[in-house]
Amino acid sequence: MTKVKGMSQIIESFLEFASKEYGIDFPSDIKADGRQHRYKMPEDKGAKTSGFCTIYLDDNPTAIFGHWKKYGQEIFKWHYRDQSSLSNQEKKDYKERMLKARIQAQKETEE
């Protein structure tokens, strides 16, 4: 998995998408390491962290994210690249990654 150039531009694009499309305002210092992280959202009280996000910065930058307080168990996806331009191997890798991310998100909601 190779990292793409312009990571900050990709992250900014994701943050803008999440905010405009779903009203989810993640912090600007969001982690993009391929692991799920939870975030305190503006409407969270105390130590609650109802926002979650997993960002992959490889050849096919993708994010899986949601907001448990606003949207319950609904999980959203964002892609930096046009998915119709992916090779068969990239599509296979993407499907495997999404399955793992969904399983992790489901585990988090059950805890």
Side-chain angles (χ1 to χ4, degrees):
M1 200 181 316
T2 58
K3 295 246 178 174
V4 294
K5 294 181 181 176
M7 289 188 301
S8 62
Q9 179 184 2
I10 292 168
I11 292 169
E12 285 174 24
S13 177
F14 162 69
L15 293 173
E16 184 177 319
F17 174 83
S19 181
K20 284 184 177 178
E21 296 295 319
Y22 298 100
I24 301 175
D25 296 313
F26 289 103
S28 60
D29 62 345
I30 196 165
K31 295 178 183 176
D33 58 7
R35 289 195 237 154
Q36 183 168 300
H37 297 279
R38 295 180 69 165
Y39 296 95
K40 186 172 189 69
M41 298 285 102
E43 46 286 299
D44 287 337
K45 292 184 169 99
K48 298 283 185 187
T49 53
S50 62
F52 68 93
C53 184
T54 305
I55 301 177
Y56 301 93
L57 292 177
D58 55 11
D59 293 333
N60 184 24
T62 305
I64 294 38
F65 65 101
H67 188 310
W68 289 305
K69 196 171 200 172
K70 265 188 181 179
Y71 296 104
Q73 293 185 13
E74 194 166 358
I75 298 170
F76 306 107
K77 293 185 251 179
W78 167 85
H79 310 283
Y80 189 71
R81 285 179 55 193
D82 176 9
Q83 298 301 286
S84 65
S85 68
L86 299 180
S87 70
N88 286 337
Q89 184 62 48
E90 287 173 322
K91 288 176 185 175
K92 181 182 174 199
D93 293 345
Y94 170 75
K95 285 180 183 179
E96 289 174 8
R97 186 175 14 176
M98 293 304 103
L99 178 60
K100 288 178 185 176
R102 280 194 179 276
I103 290 169
Q104 180 62 38
Q106 290 294 337
K107 286 180 183 176
E108 291 275 334
T109 59
E110 294 169 1
E111 292 177 355

